[in-house]
Amino acid sequence: MRGFSARATVEAALAWIDAHARRLGPETAALDALHGRVLAADLHAAIDVPPFDRSAMDGYALRGAETDGAGEYNPLSFAIAGQALPGRPFEGTVAPGCAVRIMTGAPLPAGADAVVPAEYATERDGRVEVTAPLAPGRHVGRRAEDVAAGALLLAAGRRLRAQDVGLIASVGLDRAAVVRRPAVRIVVTGDELAVPGTAKGLHQIYDANSSMLHGLVCRDGGLSAPMLRVADRAESIREAIVAPGVDVVLVSGGSSVGSEDHAPGILAQAGELAVHGVAMRPSSPAGFGRVGGTLVFLLPGNPVSCLCAYDFFAGRALRILGGRAPAWPHAVRRAVLTRKIASQVGRVDYCRVRLGDDGAEPLALSGASILSSTTRADGFVIVPGDSEGQAAGTAVDVYLYEP
Ligand code: AMP
Ligand code: MG
């Protein structure tokens, strides 16, 4: 065993990821699978929406100019020539002095240019009395007022909201080209690990990291391949790392310099170990690199380190591959520290904090094995490498765990 001789800065580690993670190519997804996906190409509308002028109210379609002077004390009377319903238009032309009963969404009949809402109209014996003046165009939804044929509907790179998918459907499309989701293999190492839900031996602990990583991968738009739990044997770990078929491999545990820490040597031999050891706390024994086109992240086994190393490095890579914004996906809240956070120049700290009425209370800086420090916390504060810490009363950005 030998300790780390030097540790990469977080900045240098992120720079390697930004230089080596590339957006994946496109695939086609059906309408109902588009929510949350990232558009791979600009989408243009082929048709107008709405495709015809239509009524925006239940009422009477007529020539607006003919209602000039109408009022409570001067009702104007029109002959009812028929009716227009959504999907069942009035086929004729509305002649002068006439009106057509019309419902919201029905095509505006030829000849008419305005709709009198039902509240300003009283129907009796085949005629309607109108008690308000209507300018031409009133209560009419114009053809193409929502989307014009040929217009840019949504731009490449857009992460689709539910209403974006609705808009795509509204122009008649049933699919779109989206960025492929990164396929991720989670490899969990550790002879001491037992599978949750099974009986365990006295000196075993339950595997907390694989389920946690699965959730993080889903959050960042990745597709988890079936997870692999492997023993601390170089050959098993090598097979799990080099097996083809995924864009990213996450290895939990065995990332450091102990006698059972096989993964760094395997990665160096099979491909490239670009970073091993990072000047941060927790997660300093993290590493990463690549085998062919696959990015491989070595995440320390201590659960808080595993979470933190994933969030700093692997998550960013996944988001870049999937075409998302690389930055932290957490919501940020500005808060004042209730106590100081001590740090060291040259080291980035990931400090769990709880938000209260007085501000952000630091809970834990060390204790990489205490996963409950992250469940009691509302979020975390990052103390940058060039800082000796943050004094009580300093306003800081709190990254919230809750989306
Ligand atoms: P390692 O990085 O493999 O040296 O593990 C560091 C510490 O994290 C040890 O105490 C392990 O028992 C623990 N650990 C490793 N993997 C897991 C896991 N999947 N779930 C919970 N604890 C783990
Ligand atoms: Mg281990």
Side-chain angles (χ1 to χ4, degrees), residues 70-388:
E72 289 277 338
Y73 300 103
N74 183 33
L76 299 180
S77 173
F78 295 81
I80 295 177
Q83 70 176 2
L85 301 175
R88 284 152 64 194
F90 175 77
E91 300 292 355
T93 296
V94 181
C98 291
V100 161
R101 194 184 302 117
I102 195 163
M103 301 304 141
T104 305
L108 191 73
D113 61 15
V115 173
V116 184
E119 351 8 339
Y120 300 108
T122 310
E123 192 177 327
R124 185 179 308 128
D125 302 330
R127 298 191 66 83
V128 60
E129 288 194 335
V130 174
T131 55
L134 272 294
R138 279 295 279 159
H139 305 306
V140 173
R142 285 288 166 208
R143 172 176 180 165
E145 72 172 1
D146 190 357
V147 177
L152 176 67
L153 204 58
L154 295 161
R158 170 85 166 197
R159 176 133 173 246
L160 296 173
R161 307 170 183 167
Q163 60 266 43
D164 295 336
V165 181
L167 192 69
I168 293 169
S170 78
V171 299
L173 297 173
D174 71 344
R175 66 200 65 199
V178 290
V179 178
R180 192 163 65 72
R181 298 165 65 175
V184 182
R185 181 184 306 125
I186 298 172
V187 178
V188 176
T189 73
D191 287 342
E192 75 281 34
L193 297 181
V195 178
T198 66
K200 70 166 194 65
L202 182 60
H203 294 120
Q204 283 191 298
I205 59 165
Y206 285 116
D207 165 22
N209 291 350
S210 26
S211 326
M212 178 174 72
L213 289 172
H214 176 74
L216 291 166
V217 166
C218 292
R219 182 198 71 191
D220 288 321
L223 276 176
S224 278
M227 173 225 313
L228 291 178
R229 289 195 175 89
V230 300
D232 285 318
R233 270 187 41 236
E235 204 32 53
S236 325
I237 297 171
R238 178 193 316 279
E239 278 169 26
I241 288 179
V242 303
V246 291
D247 303 295
V248 174
V249 177
L250 304 178
V251 183
S252 154
S255 71
S256 190
V257 292
S259 66
E260 294 306 285
D261 294 334
H262 304 293
I266 290 168
L267 184 53
Q269 208 194 15
E272 177 191 1
L273 177 64
V275 168
H276 189 213
V278 185
M280 64 192 296
R281 187 167 75 165
S283 309
S284 71
F288 50 83
R290 55 182 170 168
V291 176
T294 302
L295 298 175
V296 180
F297 291 87
L298 310 182
L299 310 172
N302 267 319
V304 181
S305 291
C306 184
L307 170 67
C308 173
Y310 173 90
D311 255 351
F312 265 86
F313 307 117
R316 184 178 179 92
L318 252 65
R319 292 190 296 276
I320 294 172
L321 291 175
R324 296 192 182 187
W328 294 88
H330 308 72
V332 176
R333 189 165 317 154
R334 205 70 187 152
V336 164
L337 286 176
T338 60
R339 278 187 286 119
K340 76 165 190 188
I341 303 176
S343 179
Q344 260 174 26
V345 172
R347 184 183 77 202
V348 169
D349 277 287
Y350 170 90
C351 179
R352 282 77 82 200
V353 300
R354 185 158 41 201
L355 288 172
D357 293 340
D358 318 337
E361 178 198 354
L363 292 182
L365 253 184
S366 54
S369 59
I370 310 300
L371 187 55
S372 63
S373 67
T374 67
T375 62
R376 279 180 280 120
D378 295 302
F380 56 91
V381 169
I382 298 168
V383 183
D386 59 7
S387 154
E388 283 192 303

Side-chain angles (χ1 to χ4, degrees), residues 30-54:
L31 207 47
D32 288 346
L34 287 179
H35 184 223
R37 301 297 301 271
V38 175
L39 268 188
D42 290 350
L43 262 191
H44 291 88
I47 60 166
D48 290 332
V49 181
F52 47 82
D53 292 346
R54 64 185 175 185

